[in-house]
Amino acid sequence: MAWKPTRREFLLITGAASLTFPFSGRGEERQAVKAIVNPYEAVDWETFKHHKAALHLHTLQSDGFQMPDRVIRGYRRAGYDIMAISDHDFFEPNRQVVAGNLPEEAASPYPEEPLPDNYPANPTWPWSDYGSEDPPALDMVGIVSNELTGRHHINSYFNDFGLWKENGTADADGNPMWEDDIIEAVRERNGLAILDHPWWSSPPTWERRPLDWYIERYLTNSPDCLVGIEVTNCGAQHESYDEGLWDQLLVRFMPNRPIWGFGTDDMHHLDRARESYSVFVLPELTNTSARQAMATGQFYFCKSSHHLDYTQEDPDRIAFPRIEAIEVDDAGETIQIHGQDYDQIAWISAPVSLEPVDDYQTSDEPWPQGEVVHFGETLNIRDTPYIRNYVRAELRRSDDKGTHRTFTNPFGIEMA
Ligand SMILES: [Zn+2]
Ligand SMILES: [Zn+2]
């Protein structure tokens, strides 16, 4: 069933409200804060554990360069205990061998006969069918996943849906499928989905999608399935592009329809990985609680300009800014972050400009990003001008290895 926007969201989306929010703007009298919607509300920071999650990994089963077991062992060794192998549904295995980038003997023999019913749209799952140990033997959570590739890339989790290559971007019966059809197919299988790396859809690679296109996807598709967007992927030079898009969506959708931000490194080659990942805060390390956290935003994400070689036994790791606890006071007016290893905590709310990029078809100019409204450990919402319907925090540090950032998910702000 399609998700229906509230009247306020409808007015915002259609422009009828001209983006004059029912909240205070510049120079206006502030309204009282009614509530802060806290994605970490269920977290007991004393007892819950932080679990590194790699949610976007490629292997020889599509266009990656290594066997699944090498990828899984490499990330496991680097401290990850939640993983999704998200090979492209669209590609047959060993694409890099076919392209001549790897020798014949590097080819994966998997999947073995009989091929999965939905080959080549199948996910790389169960791992034991692809030469790896299964997640319980590795003391971790594995998530069945596919990168749905024929249209705007979409990562799907907790289900095995894939698009059929023989039929183009279509279902098994040859019916063409567009993004909403694809997300609906994931939803029917009780899966979760996120839109991947929007900057890839900018020139010269693809035709860039207008802002309205993204707005429509989150309006049309249920937040029970389309839970978020990749905000940090592998393109450092483009990171403000995806961050700006996220802010442009949050200012239109929060607090009623959250869009969670995900960090992934979209790894294709283990020794050319980038450090970008998500961290789930869980009462127990199970598929059920990982799924719950993914759906409710109970995680944060990290991104560094530092590159990491996961083929090394002891890769050159960096200490990311660490979140130890987040407290929202009972009156709903302050948010406080306790952390370590940061130089600065920046609080970011709505972008000043909500104008679309006019020449989006030819430009990869980023969408205007959210505005920093405060620095420091504690944010007092009532005392901080210009906060609108959401605020998010970034913990930042720079050192000789680069810049390292940890992002919270957005806190929704309801005004009285
Ligand atoms: Zn992709
Ligand atoms: Zn990918």
Side-chain angles (χ1 to χ4, degrees), residues 5 26 51 108 138 178 212 336:
R26 286 171 192 287
H51 298 279
S108 165
L138 296 161
W178 294 91
D212 284 349
Q336 186 173 19

Side-chain angles (χ1 to χ4, degrees), residues 44-327:
D44 177 344
W45 295 96
E46 294 284 320
T47 59
F48 283 27
K49 298 219 159 52
H50 299 237
H51 298 279
K52 277 171 83 171
L55 299 173
H56 193 154
L57 301 170
H58 295 280
T59 75
L60 280 161
Q61 303 312 128
S62 63
D63 61 348
F65 283 77
Q66 277 100 2
M67 290 290 289
D69 72 314
R70 269 202 86 195
V71 170
I72 292 162
R73 278 187 288 114
Y75 274 79
R76 187 74 189 89
R77 201 167 49 215
Y80 291 79
D81 50 17
I82 299 173
M83 265 177 242
I85 303 290
S86 53
D87 278 312
H88 299 276
D89 54 349
F90 226 54
F91 294 168
E92 287 182 26
N94 297 312
R95 208 174 161 86
Q96 303 295 354
V97 177
V98 172
N101 299 326
L102 284 174
E104 282 289 334
E105 58 269 25
S108 165
Y110 304 110
E112 291 173 321
E113 303 281 349
L115 294 175
D117 287 346
N118 57 344
Y119 179 85
N122 62 296
T124 306
W125 186 266
W127 293 352
S128 50
D129 286 0
Y130 296 86
S132 168
E133 290 179 283
D134 278 324
L138 296 161
D139 195 21
M140 60 177 290
V141 161
I143 299 171
V144 53
S145 176
N146 238 342
E147 181 169 9
L148 309 171
T149 300
R151 309 288 184 194
H152 192 294
H153 291 191
I154 295 168
N155 258 32
S156 113
Y157 302 103
F158 300 103
N159 77 105
D160 67 354
F161 176 72
L163 291 156
W164 284 61
K165 186 181 163 189
E166 289 89 340
N167 296 323
T169 304
D171 64 15
D173 301 322
N175 304 306
M177 294 190 83
W178 294 91
E179 287 85 354
D180 292 345
D181 307 317
I182 292 166
I183 296 164
E184 180 61 14
V186 171
R187 197 193 63 79
E188 282 168 2
R189 289 161 179 79
N190 201 29
L192 301 179
I194 65 174
L195 295 182
D196 288 338
H197 49 61
W199 68 267
W200 258 103
S201 65
S202 73
T205 318
W206 288 350
E207 188 181 324
R208 180 174 182 174
R209 312 294 170 100
L211 185 56
D212 284 349
W213 184 89
Y214 289 95
I215 292 169
E216 261 180 62
R217 302 289 76 69
Y218 289 95
L219 262 185
T220 307
N221 293 286
S222 167
D224 296 338
C225 175
L226 185 62
V227 294
I229 192 163
E230 270 186 351
V231 176
T232 62
N233 186 274
C234 51
Q237 71 277 29
H238 284 282
E239 65 192 11
S240 64
Y241 187 104
D242 293 350
E243 289 169 36
L245 176 57
W246 191 34
D247 283 317
Q248 292 291 336
L249 292 170
L250 293 177
V251 71
R252 289 164 167 86
F253 282 98
M254 291 295 284
N256 297 334
R257 198 293 185 216
I259 297 169
W260 307 124
F262 289 78
T264 83
D265 59 4
D266 198 355
M267 193 282 303
H268 287 72
H269 206 305
L270 268 181
D271 60 12
R272 281 177 237 150
R274 285 92 166 181
E275 285 209 82
S276 171
Y277 58 87
S278 300
V279 182
F280 288 47
V281 191
L282 304 179
E284 51 179 8
L285 183 61
T286 62
N287 275 74
T288 306
S289 75
R291 190 188 193 286
Q292 173 86 359
M294 198 185 269
T296 59
Q298 195 176 296
F299 60 94
Y300 53 90
F301 58 101
C302 301
K303 159 89 186 192
S304 171
S305 56
H306 180 61
H307 284 212
L308 197 65
D309 182 352
Y310 285 107
T311 62
Q312 302 294 313
E313 280 295 324
D314 187 18
D316 180 26
R317 288 186 207 144
I318 49 136
F320 272 90
R322 216 144 40 92
I323 293 175
E324 294 178 329
I326 300 176
E327 287 170 34

